[in-house]
Amino acid sequence: MKTLDELLQEGVNGRRVLVRADLNVPLDGKNITDDGRIRAVAPTVKALAEAGARVVVCSHLGRPKGAPDPAFSLAPVAKRLGEVLGREVAFATDTVGTDAETKAVAQGDGDVLLLENLRFNKGETSKDDTERAEFAGQLAAFGDLYVDDAFGAVHRKHASVYDVAKLLPHYAGWLIAKEVEVLSKLTGKPEQPYVVILGGAKVSDKLAVIDNLLDKVDTLIVGGGMMFTFLAAQGHEVGSSLLEKDQVEVCKSYLARAAELGVELLLPVDTVTAAEFAADAEPLTVSVDAIPAERMGLDIGPASAKLFAERIAGAETVFWNGPMGVFEFPDYAAGTKTVAQALVDSDAFSVVGGGDSAAAVRTLGLPEDGFGHISTGGGASLEYLEGKTLPGLDALEK
Ligand code: 3PG
Ligand code: MG
């Protein structure tokens, strides 16, 4: 895989560089609520611009259905990117249409242009190879070279991530290089004890990663909504908590395999419950043996949080993906906060795997530099740890 460092050595002055970024940030209307992904890719864009490249940045935002939809416009992102870069960022109101073409042609050396949302075009995510290739061809017309730095999207076989690399000389940006360097440590032989903490709503999203990591870890901690399917597998009643009935047997098999391997699979001992899914629902902490039938668990309880924090304190390597509870509700945020704080306090090499857990870290006001690495990829970091071939990385290797 050729990297940005090599490209900068070759020199980019006056050359047109198409950069795929993952600027898929959370928005509240037109306000960006977490600009982590913008800041993460900025060094790559800045280095190219400072070296005199004519930079055309492209990204998706959300999941529009292959046609323009103002709710998913990248316009607010262009503005923020400009602030972060400390230089003007032009914005094209289409992706490969006349506005994009006109603005690209007008670019001078060192100028940055952001194209409108890739997913306003059917070809971007099409399952049809020809349709995707056609759109990739239109995108490739914007660059003499292609730099992929959209780590959060490398698990997608999309035109801008996969097909375009076949058409232009291609390089990995600094963010992708860094993410791969860090995550490859977690799939190799990380320093032990190695503790993995998984949370989030659905156990079905995490099965493959559990499967791939179970024989590599010393302790696998399970919290969040997915814990109830594991608790049910242990024979507990879980009230009206999230439960994936069709996954109970799989969870049983993981509990059995962990026991065989001598791996500790650690589940919560208590949970903070609510009568309904609402921020103002009265919290009640109960033991996992005594979850009332009409209540749902929305967080791990304090005894569990303490237990989890102790395991984290004793670790040399920690990977965390998925909140421990509904951290958006202040009464149900303590578990996530305790776990996150334990990572900050530990001397372990700690990696936070993207999406919700990265947002939780920032929402809860924890210092980003307290973690070894905060991945910008949710699905991408999980699929990497599942040991899958990721189309975007595969394309850069070829
Ligand atoms: C993400 O947020 O996980 C990435 O930006 C990829 O987005 P997607 O899941 O909509 O493909
Ligand atoms: Mg730390």
Side-chain angles (χ1 to χ4, degrees):
M1 181 152 48
K2 279 196 168 183
T3 67
L4 179 59
D5 291 313
E6 287 162 76
L7 177 57
L8 291 172
Q9 258 164 28
E10 286 171 30
V12 289
N13 191 34
R15 299 173 88 186
R16 300 176 310 137
V17 182
L18 178 70
V19 177
R20 174 55 158 107
D22 182 354
L23 302 173
N24 184 23
V25 291
L27 285 177
D28 172 9
K30 293 205 178 322
N31 293 319
I32 296 163
T33 53
D34 178 22
D35 68 357
R37 280 179 165 166
I38 300 175
R39 287 183 286 114
V41 78
T44 289
V45 177
K46 194 167 186 173
L48 286 165
E50 281 175 356
R54 303 174 178 206
V55 189
V56 176
V57 182
C58 61
S59 174
H60 71 286
L61 177 82
R63 291 179 177 172
K65 302 264 170 285
D69 179 343
F72 296 103
S73 173
L74 278 167
V77 174
K79 185 164 166 276
R80 184 77 192 110
L81 179 61
E83 288 161 7
V84 172
L85 292 174
R87 53 171 70 222
E88 198 180 315
V89 172
F91 179 65
T93 55
D94 52 24
T95 321
V96 292
T98 46
D99 194 49
E101 269 171 41
T102 313
K103 286 179 175 148
V105 169
Q107 277 191 299
D109 297 352
D111 284 351
V112 180
L113 167 67
L114 176 64
L115 306 178
E116 183 54 288
N117 197 336
L118 289 158
R119 293 186 184 171
F120 287 180
N121 305 270
K122 257 175 64 197
E124 168 66 359
T125 60
S126 176
K127 299 246 181 304
D128 180 64
D129 290 351
T130 320
E131 200 172 14
R132 255 192 358 262
E134 196 186 316
F135 182 59
Q138 290 175 299
L139 279 174
F142 287 90
D144 307 315
L145 307 159
Y146 168 71
V147 171
D148 186 7
D149 217 14
F151 180 73
V154 290
H155 59 315
R156 301 292 181 218
K157 192 176 177 181
H158 292 167
S160 67
V161 177
Y162 180 74
D163 304 84
V164 82
K166 294 185 198 154
L167 305 175
L168 295 173
H170 43 272
Y171 303 81
W174 284 332
L175 178 60
I176 285 195
K178 168 84 199 219
E179 294 267 12
V180 169
E181 184 198 316
V182 168
L183 293 173
S184 63
K185 283 190 197 157
L186 299 182
T187 47
K189 289 222 176 311
E191 262 198 79
Q192 290 181 292
Y194 178 19
V195 175
V196 170
I197 312 144
L198 298 176
K202 285 165 77 187
V203 73
S204 46
D205 292 343
K206 305 281 156 61
L207 294 177
V209 78
I210 295 174
D211 206 47
N212 200 42
L213 291 182
L214 205 52
D215 60 358
K216 299 190 173 68
V217 303
D218 298 285
T219 301
L220 175 68
I221 300 175
V222 174
M226 64 184 280
M227 71 197 201
F228 298 103
T229 306
F230 270 99
L231 289 171
Q234 280 187 326
H236 294 286
E237 296 294 338
V238 298
S240 58
S241 309
L242 258 184
L243 173 66
E244 285 177 84
K245 284 210 178 88
D246 54 341
Q247 306 296 347
V248 172
E249 286 307 314
V250 190
C251 289
K252 276 188 193 166
S253 76
Y254 288 138
L255 288 164
R257 210 173 111 205
E260 262 167 49
L261 291 165
V263 164
E264 180 185 35
L265 206 162
L266 194 59
L267 293 171
V269 292
D270 58 354
T271 172
V272 187
T273 66
E276 52 174 349
F277 188 85
D280 60 359
E282 192 64 36
L284 173 72
T285 299
V286 298
S287 150
V288 295
D289 296 325
I291 303 176
E294 71 287 0
R295 297 184 73 88
M296 61 183 82
L298 296 186
D299 192 12
I300 58 170
S304 312
K306 187 163 172 273
L307 184 64
F308 293 1
E310 278 164 16
R311 285 300 182 283
I312 293 165
E316 286 295 331
T317 308
V318 186
F319 173 70
W320 172 38
N321 181 296
M324 296 292 102
V326 187
F327 72 91
E328 297 89 343
F329 299 168
D331 281 339
Y332 304 92
T336 303
K337 194 159 188 173
T338 302
V339 162
Q341 188 64 49
L343 263 79
V344 171
D345 294 341
S346 99
D347 296 326
F349 176 63
S350 59
V351 180
V352 181
D356 290 345
S357 10
V361 161
R362 290 185 278 257
T363 310
L364 297 171
L366 291 145
E368 283 178 72
D369 58 6
F371 301 88
H373 180 70
I374 301 180
S375 175
T376 52
S381 62
L382 275 183
E383 288 196 25
Y384 189 97
L385 295 185
E386 284 166 20
K388 277 194 187 159
T389 301
L390 305 182
L393 295 181
D394 195 37
L396 290 175
E397 297 286 359
K398 288 191 175 126

